[in-house]
Amino acid sequence: MDILIIVDMQNDFIDGALGTKEAKAIVPDVAKKIKDFDGEIIYTRDTHEENYLDTQEGRNLPVAHCIRGTKGWEICPQLEALRSENDIVIDKPTFGSMELGELLKKKDEELRGNGMDGITSITLVGLCTDICVISNAMISKAALPEVPVYVDKDCCAGVTTDSHETALAAMRMCQIKC
């Protein structure tokens, strides 16, 4: 089974509090990736509470974003329209999701336990390459070290173009195919 992970394609990262033109530009490519994908799809949502500015992350990045229940927290409309009831959504309180790693490992074990091949590949797309994509790619690789992990660089955007490229280089060094 192939897995596609859509990382934090939320309004606040696209055209909201932390939005960028690069993030807006990848939305059609991510939509095409979803439409063309044959496998299981998992969405992550950066999820903060009203006290965000009082958290460690909030003190280091003092821009309220992805506050649970707000428009900025929601997956962008173009991708939300493609989401099926079988897709999984993980709300994560920080950059990387330990829940994602546990879910991937459990899914792989269940498939193998039923005489199937298990997870055959994991592909990540989304925002931001240099923060949440890299974090979740590394967690995925750690959870299933023998499964190929891919990051579609054309379906990702970083905080800056330079930090996007730096993150891709770091992931390549960790045997994640970008």
Side-chain angles (χ1 to χ4, degrees):
M1 169 179 287
D2 296 323
I3 304 285
L4 176 62
I5 302 171
I6 313 297
V7 179
D8 299 0
M9 289 296 294
Q10 296 162 267
N11 294 319
D12 269 347
F13 291 127
I14 296 167
D15 57 10
L18 295 171
T20 65
K21 67 181 181 355
E22 293 85 3
K24 288 179 196 174
I26 70 166
V27 173
D29 292 332
V30 173
K32 182 174 180 354
K33 189 90 170 177
I34 292 168
K35 288 177 194 173
D36 294 345
F37 189 74
D38 184 22
E40 189 166 308
I41 299 177
I42 301 170
Y43 290 79
T44 68
R45 270 191 307 220
D46 197 42
T47 302
H48 300 296
E49 306 304 330
E50 292 293 332
N51 71 335
Y52 170 76
L53 294 175
D54 297 325
T55 66
Q56 180 175 314
E57 180 182 331
R59 289 187 296 276
N60 287 300
L61 177 62
V63 177
H65 65 280
C66 298
I67 305 299
R68 185 188 305 274
T70 65
K71 183 178 188 293
W73 172 73
E74 295 171 0
I75 294 167
C76 74
Q78 300 91 320
L79 303 184
E80 182 63 32
L82 300 174
R83 196 161 63 87
S84 82
E85 63 185 34
N86 296 326
D87 295 340
I88 297 167
V89 178
I90 295 174
D91 291 334
K92 57 183 191 57
T94 189
F95 309 132
S97 172
M98 296 300 290
E99 182 182 348
L100 173 63
E102 293 163 6
L103 177 81
L104 292 169
K105 191 168 178 138
K106 181 179 177 188
K107 178 66 123 175
D108 186 66
E109 289 169 355
E110 286 174 359
L111 290 166
R112 290 179 188 285
N114 289 325
M116 301 169 81
D117 287 338
I119 295 176
T120 51
S121 74
I122 300 167
T123 301
L124 293 93
V125 300
L127 303 167
C128 292
T129 319
D130 43 344
I131 302 174
C132 294
V133 173
I134 191 173
S135 298
N136 288 292
M138 296 300 288
I139 287 171
S140 299
K141 188 69 176 166
L144 297 172
E146 294 301 317
V147 174
V149 176
Y150 302 91
V151 170
D152 185 337
K153 63 184 175 70
D154 297 326
C155 290
C156 293
V159 173
T160 68
T161 303
D162 287 344
S163 62
H164 167 78
E165 292 299 329
T166 299
L168 293 172
M171 287 186 278
R172 285 185 198 109
M173 291 301 296
C174 295
Q175 301 178 1
I176 294 167
K177 296 167 177 57
C178 302

